[in-house]
Amino acid sequence: MNDELHALSGAYAVHALPYGERARFEAHLPGCPACAAEIRHLRETAARLAETAAEPPPP
């Protein structure tokens, strides 16, 4: 397991990696079910967060 690559999963899930790191991570991804699952969960969470609406605080 490459901890350096695994640490990139959060940034990858929200499309925040520069090209070189993204390419390296994508080469790692097919052989790592743990990263694939983590990315799936992170993307689901990001989608839920994007659906929420901020409300102003009460006076």
Side-chain angles (χ1 to χ4, degrees):
M1 182 182 328
N2 186 332
D3 289 339
E4 180 185 346
L5 286 173
H6 288 258
L8 299 176
S9 61
Y12 179 81
V14 294
H15 309 286
L17 286 178
Y19 176 77
E21 287 182 328
R22 185 182 77 225
R24 211 165 51 111
F25 189 80
E26 287 175 345
H28 160 80
L29 197 53
C32 186
C35 280
E38 183 172 12
I39 289 166
R40 186 173 50 256
H41 293 299
L42 289 169
R43 285 187 173 164
E44 289 170 359
T45 300
R48 283 191 202 109
L49 289 171
E51 292 174 353
T52 63
E55 294 184 24

